[in-house]
């Protein structure tokens, strides 16, 4: 139950996991997401928050968990892990999709042989290791052809291979 205005939902919402913990809290204005929305893990721990203006994402912050971001064409942009709002672990960033191939699915796949699938080719742009928000480990940047552009090593936020 909530408030409707001109037939559109116009109220705050709260969804729950089956275990009773909150899944998300947000606000709709005339049927459109508005303001800050909070998302939670099933354990109840903060996952992320997103700020919406007229239904469009204007700001987001990842808090806990593994997250993927995508380019407008659907290609993978990055994969990162966060702990309490800090990058923690491996962070991988990709160049935009270079090409899309359509290839037949093989008999080894559980699909009909005349089915086809799209394959997006993407090159890794950089791999960085973090420990609670600080560079810690290898940082490797790649050129778009896959060759290494630069490589550095860090410990507790400080470069150690100079």
């Amino acid at each position: 139950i909530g408030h409707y205005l001109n037939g559109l939902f116009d109220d705050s919402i709260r969804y729950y996991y089956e275990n009773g913990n909150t899944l998300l809290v947000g606000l709709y204005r005339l049927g459109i997401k508005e303001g800050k929305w909070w998302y939670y893990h099933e354990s109840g721990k903060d996952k992320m928050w997103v700020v919406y203006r007229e239904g469009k994402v204007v700001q987001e912050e990842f808090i806990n968990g593994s997250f993927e971001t995508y380019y407008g064409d659907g290609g993978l942009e990055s994969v990162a892990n966060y702990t309490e709002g800090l990058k923690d672990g491996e962070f991988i960033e990709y160049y935009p999709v270079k090409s899309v191939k359509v290839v037949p699915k093989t008999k080894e796949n559980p699909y009909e042989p005349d089915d086809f699938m799209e394959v997006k080719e993407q090159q890794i742009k950089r791999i960085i290791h973090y420990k609670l928000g600080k560079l810690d480990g290898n940082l490797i940047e790649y050129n778009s052809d896959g060759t290494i552009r630069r490589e550095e090593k860090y410990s507790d936020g400080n470069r150690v291979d100079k």
Side-chain angles (χ1 to χ4, degrees):
I1 298 178
H3 182 259
Y4 287 81
L5 187 61
N6 299 326
L8 299 171
F9 191 72
D10 194 68
D11 208 342
S12 61
I13 62 160
R14 182 181 293 260
Y15 287 108
Y16 298 91
Y17 288 103
E18 286 185 19
N19 66 10
N21 286 341
T22 302
L23 169 67
L24 69 86
V25 176
L27 174 71
Y28 279 98
R29 286 288 176 231
L30 298 173
I32 298 172
K33 290 179 178 180
E34 188 66 33
K36 187 180 263 190
W37 285 52
W38 286 93
Y39 297 84
Y40 301 89
H41 289 282
E42 193 168 357
S43 65
K45 198 171 191 179
D46 291 344
K47 184 175 187 179
M48 66 182 293
W49 57 259
V50 178
V51 175
Y52 294 93
R53 293 285 177 257
E54 298 179 359
K56 294 185 171 80
V57 175
V58 294
Q59 185 180 3
E60 63 187 354
E61 182 175 321
F62 303 121
I63 301 171
N64 290 297
S66 181
F67 297 91
E68 295 178 351
T69 59
Y70 294 88
Y71 289 107
D73 65 1
L76 187 61
E77 183 177 13
S78 68
V79 178
N81 294 296
Y82 288 81
T83 301
E84 299 304 324
L86 302 172
K87 287 181 183 167
D88 193 30
E90 188 172 69
F91 172 78
I92 303 174
E93 189 176 7
Y94 297 86
Y95 283 101
V97 174
K98 193 186 300 186
S99 65
V100 176
K101 290 183 181 178
V102 178
V103 297
K105 293 180 180 175
T106 64
K107 288 185 180 180
E108 291 82 37
N109 289 329
Y111 303 98
E112 296 297 319
D114 57 347
D115 284 345
F116 289 83
M117 64 181 179
E118 285 185 273
V119 177
K120 295 180 179 182
E121 292 184 352
Q122 282 191 274
Q123 173 60 45
I124 292 175
K125 189 174 190 178
R126 67 178 58 96
I127 300 174
I128 308 169
H129 291 268
Y130 288 91
K131 188 171 183 181
L132 294 175
K134 293 182 179 181
L135 288 168
D136 195 80
N138 293 327
L139 177 152
I140 305 171
E141 287 189 354
Y142 297 90
N143 294 309
S144 60
D145 65 3
T147 58
I148 294 176
R149 178 185 307 162
R150 77 177 173 140
E151 195 169 357
E152 300 171 357
K153 186 161 181 72
Y154 289 83
S155 179
D156 198 32
N158 299 305
R159 188 167 174 189
V160 295
D161 65 347
K162 294 181 189 178

